[in-house]
Amino acid sequence: MGRRLTEFLNSSSSGKFRLILVAAFAVVSLLFAAALLSPESPFFYLPLRIALSSRRPRIYDPTCDSRRDHHSYSATKYHRTPSPQPSPYLLAKLRDYEDLHRRCGPLSDPTLNPQEFRTDDCKFVVYAPSQGLGNRILGLSSTFLYALLTNRVLLVEFGPDMEDLFCEPFPNSTWYLPETFPFRFQLQSHRFRKAYSFGTLLQKKEEDQQKKEGKFSLLDSSAPALLQIFLQDKYNDYDKLFFRDENQGFVHRVPWLALVHDGYLIPCLFQMQSFRSELEKLFPDQETVFHHLAKYLLSPSNEAWEHITGFYKAYLAKAEERIGFQIRVFEPKKTTFPAVMKQIMSCTQKHRILPQSSEVPLRNGTSKSIFVASLSRKYYEEIDSMYGERSHGGIAVYQASHEGKQHFGDNSHNMKAWMDIYLLSMSDVLVTSSMSTFGYVAAGIAGVRPWIVMIPDPYHPRGADEPSCERAVNIEPCFHFPPWFAYPDQPGTVGPVARCEDVSWGLKIVGG
C-alpha cells in the first residue's frame, strides 16, 4: 500500500487529476443514487416522472368488439332479470376519471409532445397482482374503486401471463405501467416491502416515537414519494391499519402508491367514514358494486371475445335455459370426488335446478344447456353421463377446457380461465363453489345470484345437518381476509356489511 501511494505521488499531475476526478464522480454518483432510492427524498419522484413521459409501443386500440356487442349475449330469453343500471353520479364520476387518466396517464398517442405531459398535480396507484385470475379481477376492481375515491390514476403491472385478456378501458390512453418504471419488477418482493411498505413505515415510526416516550401520529410525518400498500392474505397488524380512517390523510399525500393484493377490499372501504358518503352516492344499490365496476373495466379483448362467442354460438346459443356449473376443489387429494358430486347433486336436485333422475321428464320440455367450468374433466364426464345422453329430451352438457391444475405465469391458461368466467356469466342459473373467487367474478359479471355449493373442506368441516348449498343473498363477492376491526360485531362498525355465506370469517356488502 505504501509503495503504491509513493508511486501515485511521484506520477504526473495530469494522471493524478484524472484519478481524483474519477473518484469524485464515483462518490457523487453514490450520493445521488442514495438520494434517489430514499422514498422521502425530493429526487425520488424524478425517475417516476421520466418513466411516465417515455414512449411505449403499446397503443390504445379503440376497437373493442366485446364492449360493443356484449349486450347481445348477456340478455337471455328465459328468466333472467334485467341487469342493474349504474347511477348517473357513477357515470359522471367515470367520465371525470377518463379525463384525469387521459391527462395524467402514460402517453398513448405518439404524436403528443412529452413536454405537454405534466404530473405535478397527479397521483397514481399501481396494481400488482400475483394469484389466480379470479383473485386478480377482484383486486383490480377494488384498486380502481380506490382510485376513483382518491382521485388517483390506475396503472397496472400484469406481466406476460395477462397479455391481451382485456381491452384497454380508458379512451385515448393506456393503463399499463411504463416499462421504464424503476421498480417494475420489484413491487412484490420482500425487499421492496421491507423498504417501502406502509406497514413497515408505520411500525418504524411508532418504535422511534416510543423511544422518545411521545404520542405517535402519522399526520405529523413527512410523506414519501412512493409507498407500497401490502394487503395480501398474510398481511400483518400494521399493514391492516391502512383501513383506519385516521391514516388516510397521510396516505393521500403520497404521490405514488403500489397496492399489492388479490382480494375484494371494497367491504372494508364501506366501513370507513372517509369514503362511505361518496360510496353511497356512487352506488345507491350497494349490492351491485362489483357488477358495475367489472362491466365498465373488464371487456374481453378481441382475441378472447372471438373464443367466447365462438363457443357460445356453437353450443349454448340455442338453449332456452343455460345453467353454469363452476366447480373448484382446493384440496383434491383430501376431498374425494364422490363427496363433491354428492353435494352438487343434492343441491341441484333439491332446488329443482336439475331433474331428480334421468327418468323424470323435463318441465315443459324446456331445452337446457349445462356449461361446466372446472380444472378437472371428471365432473363434466359424470354430469354428462347422467344428463347428456338425454339431449333428445332437452339437456346437453359442455366443457370448454380442463387444465388439470392451476397454472401460474401461463397466458394460455389465463385466456382459458377468462373464457370460462365469461361463458359462466352468460348463464341464467349459476351453481358455484364455496370460497372460489372464480365463481364470485362470474356471478358478479352476470348479475345472477348463485347457488353456492359447500365443497367439503378438510380444514373447516361442516356439520352433517348443514345444507349442501345456500343461495347467495346478492351478487357481491366475499373478502376473505378483512382486518379484525372491520367485522360488523365490533364497536363502531356500522357499514353495510355482513359475514359471507360460504366463508364465516369473510365479509361482504349486504346493502344499506
Side-chain angles (χ1 to χ4, degrees), residues 126-201:
V126 179
Y127 176 58
S130 64
Q131 298 186 28
L133 185 62
N135 294 78
R136 295 182 183 196
I137 289 175
L138 295 180
L140 177 59
S141 303
S142 302
T143 306
F144 178 57
L145 181 56
Y146 185 77
L148 284 181
L149 294 170
T150 57
N151 294 315
R152 291 181 179 272
V153 172
L154 170 68
L155 299 176
V156 297
E157 174 48 33
F158 279 155
D161 63 338
M162 295 285 284
E163 289 288 333
D164 298 322
L165 296 188
F166 312 116
C167 294
E168 289 269 11
F170 312 123
N172 303 314
S173 187
T174 181
W175 63 346
Y176 286 96
L177 186 70
E179 293 173 349
T180 50
F181 187 79
F183 303 100
R184 184 180 170 211
F185 299 110
Q186 305 173 40
L187 294 175
Q188 300 184 49
S189 69
H190 177 74
R191 184 177 180 181
F192 188 83
R193 180 186 178 190
K194 187 175 181 180
Y196 300 117
S197 80
F198 169 80
T200 299
L201 175 69

Side-chain angles (χ1 to χ4, degrees), residues 22-304:
V22 169
F25 179 77
V27 171
V28 171
S29 298
L30 288 172
L31 292 174
F32 184 69
L36 285 179
L37 291 174
S38 171
E40 298 185 4
S41 165
F43 298 106
F44 186 85
Y45 194 32
L46 180 62
L48 306 180
R49 294 185 62 180
I50 293 173
L52 279 176
S53 299
S54 63
R55 302 288 188 217
R56 182 178 174 88
R58 187 188 302 276
I59 304 300
Y60 174 78
D61 183 359
T63 64
C64 181
D65 295 342
S66 64
R67 188 177 291 127
R68 182 192 64 223
D69 299 335
H70 73 92
H71 292 291
S72 303
Y73 295 88
S74 58
T76 61
K77 299 179 288 184
Y78 195 68
H79 61 263
R80 174 94 71 88
T81 57
S83 295
Q85 295 302 307
S87 69
Y89 188 81
L90 174 60
L91 293 175
K93 189 79 170 181
L94 291 172
R95 298 294 87 80
D96 290 343
Y97 175 82
E98 290 171 358
D99 292 339
L100 175 69
H101 197 101
R102 189 161 42 244
R103 177 169 61 86
C104 294
L107 293 176
S108 60
D109 186 345
T111 64
L112 291 178
N113 182 353
Q115 299 303 318
E116 299 174 358
F117 181 81
R118 298 181 60 82
T119 62
D120 298 353
D121 58 342
C122 300
K123 292 185 174 70
F124 303 87
V125 55
V126 179
Y127 176 58
S130 64
Q131 298 186 28
L133 185 62
N135 294 78
R136 295 182 183 196
I137 289 175
L138 295 180
L140 177 59
S141 303
S142 302
T143 306
F144 178 57
L145 181 56
Y146 185 77
L148 284 181
L149 294 170
T150 57
N151 294 315
R152 291 181 179 272
V153 172
L154 170 68
L155 299 176
V156 297
E157 174 48 33
F158 279 155
D161 63 338
M162 295 285 284
E163 289 288 333
D164 298 322
L165 296 188
F166 312 116
C167 294
E168 289 269 11
F170 312 123
N172 303 314
S173 187
T174 181
W175 63 346
Y176 286 96
L177 186 70
E179 293 173 349
T180 50
F181 187 79
F183 303 100
R184 184 180 170 211
F185 299 110
Q186 305 173 40
L187 294 175
Q188 300 184 49
S189 69
H190 177 74
R191 184 177 180 181
F192 188 83
R193 180 186 178 190
K194 187 175 181 180
Y196 300 117
S197 80
F198 169 80
T200 299
L201 175 69
L202 189 64
Q203 183 177 7
K204 182 177 182 298
K205 289 187 176 295
E206 186 178 86
E207 291 173 351
D208 291 344
Q209 196 66 31
Q210 286 175 351
K211 293 177 182 178
K212 301 175 183 178
E213 297 183 351
K215 189 174 181 180
F216 168 70
S217 173
L218 264 183
L219 294 176
D220 300 330
S221 305
S222 59
L226 172 66
L227 196 61
Q228 183 207 60
I229 309 297
F230 183 85
L231 302 173
Q232 293 284 36
D233 53 357
K234 295 182 180 179
Y235 64 152
N236 62 36
D237 288 342
Y238 286 100
D239 297 319
K240 293 173 184 178
L241 293 177
F242 169 79
F243 292 114
R244 287 291 199 189
D245 283 291
E246 59 266 26
N247 293 327
Q248 284 300 311
F250 171 79
V251 175
H252 181 73
R253 305 204 313 266
V254 180
W256 284 82
L257 297 179
L259 259 67
V260 178
H261 71 104
D262 290 286
Y264 190 64
L265 310 179
I266 296 176
C268 289
L269 298 182
F270 268 92
Q271 294 286 66
M272 300 173 70
Q273 293 285 356
S274 51
F275 297 137
R276 188 177 304 146
S277 176
E278 182 72 1
L279 286 167
E280 289 172 350
K281 289 191 290 184
L282 290 169
F283 305 101
D285 181 359
Q286 294 163 13
E287 298 185 339
T288 59
V289 176
F290 175 71
H291 175 80
H292 293 311
L293 293 173
K295 296 293 276 189
Y296 171 79
L297 198 63
L298 303 170
S299 298
S301 68
N302 287 350
E303 179 184 352

Side-chain angles (χ1 to χ4, degrees), residues 431-467:
V431 180
T432 63
S433 300
S434 54
M435 291 189 66
S436 175
T437 57
F438 202 97
Y440 299 158
V441 172
I445 294 176
V448 172
R449 287 170 55 207
W451 291 94
I452 305 176
V453 175
M454 303 304 164
I455 301 297
D457 181 355
Y459 300 108
H460 304 95
R462 296 170 64 86
D465 58 340
E466 295 188 63

Side-chain angles (χ1 to χ4, degrees), residues 462-509:
R462 296 170 64 86
D465 58 340
E466 295 188 63
S468 58
C469 68
E470 291 185 34
R471 186 80 183 273
V473 296
N474 57 32
I475 59 175
E476 277 295 295
C478 177
F479 180 27
H480 289 174
F481 300 101
W484 64 267
F485 51 80
Y487 287 105
D489 52 357
Q490 292 297 319
T493 54
V494 294
V497 302
R499 294 180 185 260
C500 307
E501 304 92 343
D502 57 329
V503 182
S504 61
W505 58 91
L507 285 183
K508 69 181 298 181
I509 302 169

